[in-house]
Amino acid sequence: MANARDIRRRIKSVKNIQQITKAMKMVAAARLRRAQERAIASRPYTDKIREVLASVTANAGDASHPLLEVREVKQVGYLVLSADKGLAGAYSSNLVKEVLPQIRGKDNARLVTVGRKARDYFKRRGYKIDGEYFGFSEKPSYQDAVMLAELMADKFESGEYDEIYLTYTHFYSPVNQKPTTIKLLPVTGTGDGEETPQTEYIFEPSAGEVLSLLLPRYLETVIYGALLQSSASELGSRMTAMGSATDNAQELISKLTLNYNKVRQATITSEINEIVGGAEALK
């Protein structure tokens, strides 16, 4: 059985850890509020540009664009949005579980990762990574989305990838997030199977030039929305995980304190017995 000094040291160590997890929970909660507002505010824009694009492409006649080209699938690219840091519960592992079934055993699957966690996991296991970006998973900017959109568009137009999928974590609440995969390129409109209403458009200067302007903005908006969803999900997972860790530390401290009191009481009882025994021996 551990002595009282060892138990005191362990109680002190657990209390120090509890202070750290409590502080991390408070920081994540403070950042989550802003990230959640940004994620929720971006959804109407993402939904609307999908609706507009679906309507325009359906009524653009013979107009075409490289990002709309459907061709034989030889190489598939995955843009994976993960976290830069750990201590976020099952956030990163759930995202990996979403990606793995889609790429395992496929020689034509290639990855572009955002965040150190996805990069480290797939690189250690020998998967092909064509690009790795990190440093903005918690607080992405629109310029980050522009950079990623241009990268993926270039890879598709050059024929390096024939299809591109986007995997990210959709934010529902601080305790409810779901990894999701959507088809990014070639652009196919809504992608939800709904019938697009037929509307007559007059394109100025031409349908092709309208698509050339609209499609890059579509990619940027969708990727930016996914980055914001992932950011809120990461912070929500971290806040929940650090809250649980703080509660577990408090429970452990209570158990250790009880054990310490038992050991201390046993020590005092033993010392009393020794004193009584010594006094009896002197009679």
Side-chain angles (χ1 to χ4, degrees):
M1 180 182 293
N3 58 41
R5 180 181 296 177
D6 292 337
I7 297 175
R8 281 201 305 269
R9 287 175 179 171
R10 192 173 180 194
I11 290 174
K12 183 179 180 181
S13 176
V14 174
K15 283 183 177 180
N16 290 337
I17 294 173
Q18 185 186 40
Q19 289 177 347
I20 294 172
T21 57
K22 186 176 181 180
M24 293 184 68
K25 175 188 175 182
M26 294 174 65
V27 170
R31 293 177 178 175
L32 173 62
R33 181 177 179 181
R34 177 60 178 158
Q36 184 174 352
E37 289 175 353
R38 295 174 70 196
I40 293 174
S42 72
R43 289 176 187 170
Y45 293 96
T46 305
D47 293 341
K48 191 63 180 180
I49 198 168
R50 283 177 174 169
E51 179 185 334
V52 170
L53 181 63
S55 182
V56 170
T57 54
N59 296 278
D62 296 332
S64 62
H65 190 276
L67 298 182
L68 297 173
E69 181 185 354
V70 179
R71 53 182 181 256
E72 182 184 356
V73 179
K74 297 178 180 178
Q75 292 288 338
V76 182
Y78 288 85
L79 177 60
V80 182
L81 309 183
S82 69
D84 285 319
K85 304 174 185 176
L87 299 177
Y91 172 76
S92 295
S93 60
N94 286 340
L95 186 71
V96 168
K97 290 177 183 177
E98 170 72 17
V99 179
L100 272 179
Q102 303 178 62
I103 65 173
R104 184 185 287 120
K106 297 180 180 179
D107 295 332
N108 66 336
R110 307 180 76 91
L111 298 168
V112 174
T113 61
V114 175
R116 289 184 172 89
K117 289 299 178 181
R119 179 203 65 180
D120 294 345
Y121 181 90
F122 291 112
K123 182 173 284 188
R124 284 197 300 266
R125 287 158 181 80
Y127 287 94
K128 300 172 183 177
I129 299 179
D130 291 338
E132 48 188 65
Y133 303 89
F134 45 83
F136 54 87
S137 70
E138 279 192 11
K139 195 175 181 180
S141 68
Y142 191 77
Q143 289 305 312
D144 297 321
V146 171
M147 177 268 296
L148 292 171
E150 290 177 351
L151 173 72
M152 304 315 289
D154 289 344
K155 287 182 176 295
F156 183 80
E157 291 181 15
S158 66
E160 185 176 347
Y161 296 159
D162 300 304
E163 279 186 349
I164 298 177
Y165 292 87
L166 171 63
T167 301
Y168 67 101
T169 304
H170 190 86
F171 178 83
Y172 294 99
S173 73
V175 295
N176 183 18
Q177 307 95 27
K178 183 181 179 182
T180 305
T181 300
I182 62 172
K183 189 174 184 180
L184 197 61
L185 291 172
V187 177
T188 55
T190 59
D192 54 12
E194 295 182 2
E195 185 177 346
T196 304
Q198 294 295 317
T199 306
E200 185 176 349
Y201 287 94
I202 299 175
F203 293 100
E204 291 290 346
S206 67
E209 292 188 40
V210 170
L211 287 174
S212 295
L213 179 65
L214 182 60
L215 285 168
R217 299 293 87 77
Y218 164 79
L219 281 182
E220 294 166 8
T221 304
V222 170
I223 292 175
Y224 184 54
L227 285 170
L228 294 178
Q229 295 288 320
S230 296
S231 172
S233 298
E234 178 185 348
L235 291 169
S237 296
R238 182 166 293 116
M239 184 188 72
T240 303
M242 292 301 97
S244 298
T246 302
D247 295 340
N248 291 339
Q250 184 58 51
E251 183 179 347
L252 182 56
I253 289 171
S254 299
K255 291 180 179 179
L256 288 171
T257 301
L258 180 61
N259 192 21
Y260 170 76
N261 291 335
K262 288 180 179 179
V263 171
R264 185 166 175 268
Q265 184 178 6
T267 302
I268 294 173
T269 302
S270 176
E271 291 175 353
I272 292 174
N273 289 336
E274 290 177 1
I275 293 171
V276 172
E280 290 292 331
L282 295 174
K283 290 182 180 180

